[in-house]
């Protein structure tokens, strides 16, 4: 067990240095490695497997709702990007440009996609002509490049993986319904797959996506009281359609512009899982997206029958549809215990000669390290029940963390006091003036509006910044 202690000690305690703890976890759990290009990371197999599991769940749901996967080019001509002025202005500081092909200078600069609205619009102009062509429900899984000045694995990288949905609709009502439907798909995914309670709402005008009429967001609360924007859904109205001259003939034979949406989540979610569920022993993974849901560790595996029984349990659990692994390596059981704790495997089963005699095994839950003896008869049902319990424990812990980090501010002085001393969300009234947003951000060194929740509380009648009549309650906070 000395090896186990040493392995865990290699992770900086969360309370000592949260940023260093985070970096230690992503490295020690073998999720990623650094590349020779600043801000570009290498997904190691374990980290990429988490993303694949996320993809599988979301992709299935998208297709159930009628969406189809497509793939758009990596490069966008500058002239195409500039067709929507507000959109390009919002992304200009982050764009990476290709100016040379082989030995020849290009006649026109090509942008490496930071997002793909313009490419989809170019295509939609060619394929949408009649109301019969609508709706168009497309989704793309790809990488994008946004040249970040300050980077952190999974949270802010110059290149990251994501999905971006882009849809076109005949009416404003259909497009708005799609925007909110996909936001709710994300909210369900956070609750049911990631075990993270989402705060959902609408972004303010100054925080919405460049070119959007309205942006809706998923906000999650991390261990340290900093918010993470976990996904967004945008309603574009017909602005992009007009800029790209996309028209269709409606049922009355009248020429109309279609209405557009866009929505996406990215590998930032992996960072969110780490900072919501992780502890000082490493990663803690929700069962739905864990690459290995159950690890079987044979104890005294050199003794007759131990490995055979471990492999028998493996086959039984795998046949039940579980992601399971037997570690029959030469490492000691103590080393293995610490390794799989660090990698966040939800359930560990220990099986040795005495367990076999008693027709049982030891089952250990990762979140609370609860240890129990379970019969080998009905093992599948026991393991599935414990995996459900792991999800419930993680969700409830995350919910407790969220609720303990929401504070109400009734006036300007109280807002500044909370922002200085209590990390988390601040509920406060706002007049709707962007100048007040900017002033509060400057006064607090970075506390910004996160969202206007769909269910607003009445905390007061006046804005906490200027004292004028309030129009909305807003969640404020620091963000990654």
């Amino acid at each position: 067990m000395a090896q186990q202690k040493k392995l865990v000690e290699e992770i900086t305690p969360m309370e000592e240095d949260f940023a260093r703890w985070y970096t230690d976890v992503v490295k020690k759990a073998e999720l990623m490695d650094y590349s020779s290009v600043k801000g570009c990371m290498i997904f190691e197999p374990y980290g990429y497997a988490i993303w694949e599991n996320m993809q599988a769940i979301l992709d299935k749901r998208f297709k159930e709702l009628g969406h189809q996967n497509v793939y758009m080019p990596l490069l966008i001509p500058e002239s195409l990007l500039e067709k929507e002025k507000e959109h390009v202005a919002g992304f200009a500081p982050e764009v990476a440009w290709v100016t040379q092909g082989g030995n020849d200078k290009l006649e026109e600069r090509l942008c490496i996609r930071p997002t793909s609205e313009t490419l989809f619009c170019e295509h939609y102009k060619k394929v949408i002509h009649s109301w019969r062509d609508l709706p168009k429900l497309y989704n793309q899984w790809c990488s994008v490049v946004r040249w970040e000045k300050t980077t952190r694995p999974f949270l802010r990288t110059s290149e990251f993986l994501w999905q971006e949905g882009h849809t076109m609709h005949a009416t404003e009502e259909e497009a708005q319904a799609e925007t909110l439907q996909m936001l709710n798909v994300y909210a369900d995914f956070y609750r049911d797959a990631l075990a993270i309670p989402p705060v959902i709402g609408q972004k303010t005008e100054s925080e919405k996506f460049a070119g959007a009429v309205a942006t809706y967001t998923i906000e999650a609360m991390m261990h340290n009281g900093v918010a993470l924007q976990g996904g967004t859904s945008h309603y574009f109205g017909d602005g992009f359609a007009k800029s790209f001259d996309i028209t269709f003939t409606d049922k009355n034979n009248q020429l109309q512009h279609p209405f557009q949406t866009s929505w996406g989540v990215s590998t930032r979610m992996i960072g969110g899982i780490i900072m919501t569920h992780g502890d000082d022993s490493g990663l803690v993974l929700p069962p739905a997206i864990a690459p290995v849901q159950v690890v079987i560790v044979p104890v005294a595996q050199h003794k007759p029958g131990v490995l055979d029984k471990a492999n028998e349990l493996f086959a039984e659990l795998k046949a039940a549809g579980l992601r399971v692994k037997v570690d029959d390596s030469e490492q000691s059981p103590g080393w293995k215990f610490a390794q799989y704790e660090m990698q966040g495997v939800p359930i560990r089963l220990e099986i040795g000669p005495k367990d076999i005699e008693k027709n049982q095994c030891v089952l250990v839950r990762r979140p609370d390290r609860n240890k129990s003896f379970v019969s080998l008869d009905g093992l599948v049902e026991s393991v599935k029940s414990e995996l459900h319990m792991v999800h419930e424990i993680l969700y409830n812990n995350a919910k407790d963390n969220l609720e303990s980090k929401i504070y109400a501010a009734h006036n300007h002085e109280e807002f500044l006091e909370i922002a200085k001393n209590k990390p988390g969300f601040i509920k406060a009234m706002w007049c709707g003036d962007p100048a007040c947003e900017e002033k509060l951000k400057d006064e607090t060194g970075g506390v910004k509006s996160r969202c206007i929740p769909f269910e607003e509380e009445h905390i007061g009648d006046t804005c906490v910044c200027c004292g004028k009549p309030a129009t909305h309650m807003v969640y404020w906070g620091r963000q990654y």
Side-chain angles (χ1 to χ4, degrees), residues 40-185:
C40 294
M41 54 177 266
I42 297 163
F43 280 78
E44 295 202 50
Y46 198 67
Y48 196 77
I50 295 173
W51 177 238
E52 286 181 311
N53 290 336
M54 290 178 170
Q55 277 185 299
I57 296 168
L58 286 168
D59 197 64
K60 180 175 182 290
R61 184 61 181 138
F62 296 162
K63 288 172 180 173
E64 287 172 349
L65 294 172
H67 301 91
Q68 297 175 295
N69 284 335
V70 298
Y71 187 79
M72 293 288 163
L74 173 69
L75 302 174
I76 307 172
E78 185 171 15
S79 57
L80 185 66
L81 191 68
E82 289 184 340
K83 280 196 172 185
E84 218 294 332
K85 298 295 184 183
E86 185 181 352
H87 181 66
V88 70
F91 279 101
E94 301 175 336
V95 168
W97 294 99
V98 176
T99 59
Q100 187 167 313
N103 294 321
D104 301 322
K105 184 177 180 181
L106 300 178
E107 292 184 6
E108 180 180 14
R109 293 196 302 175
L110 301 174
C111 158
I112 301 175
R113 62 175 171 231
T115 182
S116 302
E117 277 76 11
T118 55
L119 291 169
F120 276 89
C121 285
E122 181 185 43
H123 175 66
Y124 283 148
K125 180 176 170 59
K126 298 175 185 177
V127 299
I128 295 174
H129 306 291
S130 160
W131 62 271
R132 295 180 181 85
D133 299 321
L134 295 168
K136 280 281 185 283
L137 306 176
Y138 287 172
N139 176 65
Q140 172 173 241
W141 295 94
C142 64
S143 69
V144 292
V145 172
R146 299 178 185 176
W147 214 253
E148 295 279 0
K149 293 179 181 178
T150 304
T151 61
R152 184 174 294 178
F154 298 112
L155 299 175
R156 288 202 175 271
T157 51
S158 296
E159 180 188 17
F160 58 88
L161 306 179
W162 77 345
Q163 60 75 211
E164 47 178 321
H166 297 269
T167 70
M168 283 286 192
H169 304 264
T171 69
E172 183 176 6
E173 291 75 20
E174 287 179 19
Q176 288 177 331
E178 167 79 2
T179 308
L180 293 176
Q181 172 182 258
M182 299 317 296
L183 181 75
N184 287 323
V185 166

Side-chain angles (χ1 to χ4, degrees), residues 270-304:
I270 298 176
I273 289 169
I274 297 166
M275 294 191 296
T276 301
H277 301 311
D279 60 24
D280 286 344
S281 293
L283 197 60
V284 183
L285 291 176
I289 53 85
V292 178
Q293 294 171 311
V294 184
V295 62
I296 301 171
V297 177
V299 178
Q301 66 184 43
H302 61 284
K303 293 190 176 181

Side-chain angles (χ1 to χ4, degrees), residues 453-469:
F454 291 142
E455 296 181 8
E456 298 181 44
E457 297 177 44
H458 182 74
I459 296 173
D461 296 321
T462 58
C463 174
V464 292
C465 184
C466 67
K468 294 178 181 177

Side-chain angles (χ1 to χ4, degrees), residues 213-335:
V213 173
T215 290
Y216 303 93
T217 182
I218 296 283
E219 301 286 327
M221 178 53 59
M222 304 297 98
H223 271 315
N224 62 342
V226 179
L228 181 76
Q229 180 178 288
T232 48
S233 188
H234 315 287
Y235 170 61
F236 287 125
D238 58 3
F240 274 86
K242 288 178 177 177
S243 296
F244 284 81
D245 194 28
I246 304 169
T247 58
F248 71 98
T249 305
D250 67 14
K251 292 181 180 180
N252 298 318
N253 209 32
Q254 298 295 311
L255 209 58
Q256 305 288 351
H257 293 289
F259 296 84
Q260 187 176 359
T261 81
S262 173
W263 29 272
V265 290
S266 76
T267 42
R268 298 191 94 210
M269 294 189 294
I270 298 176
I273 289 169
I274 297 166
M275 294 191 296
T276 301
H277 301 311
D279 60 24
D280 286 344
S281 293
L283 197 60
V284 183
L285 291 176
I289 53 85
V292 178
Q293 294 171 311
V294 184
V295 62
I296 301 171
V297 177
V299 178
Q301 66 184 43
H302 61 284
K303 293 190 176 181
V306 173
L307 277 180
D308 288 341
K309 179 57 72 171
N311 287 320
E312 181 185 318
L313 300 181
F314 168 84
E316 183 182 357
L317 293 169
K318 185 177 181 182
L322 297 174
R323 296 186 291 274
V324 58
K325 172 183 179 178
V326 175
D327 189 338
D328 58 1
S329 69
E330 294 302 314
Q331 297 285 1
S332 71
W335 185 94

Side-chain angles (χ1 to χ4, degrees), residues 8-25 152 221-226 271-284 366-367 369 397 401 405 480:
V8 173
E9 281 178 350
E10 292 180 1
I11 298 177
T12 303
M14 193 186 299
E15 295 298 325
E16 181 180 310
D17 186 336
F18 193 83
R20 184 64 199 169
W21 166 83
Y22 176 84
T23 303
D24 287 348
V25 170
R152 184 174 294 178
M221 178 53 59
M222 304 297 98
H223 271 315
N224 62 342
V226 179
I273 289 169
I274 297 166
M275 294 191 296
T276 301
H277 301 311
D279 60 24
D280 286 344
S281 293
L283 197 60
V284 183
R366 172 62 180 89
R369 295 179 178 81
N397 288 346
N401 180 62
K405 289 182 169 63
Y480 281 104

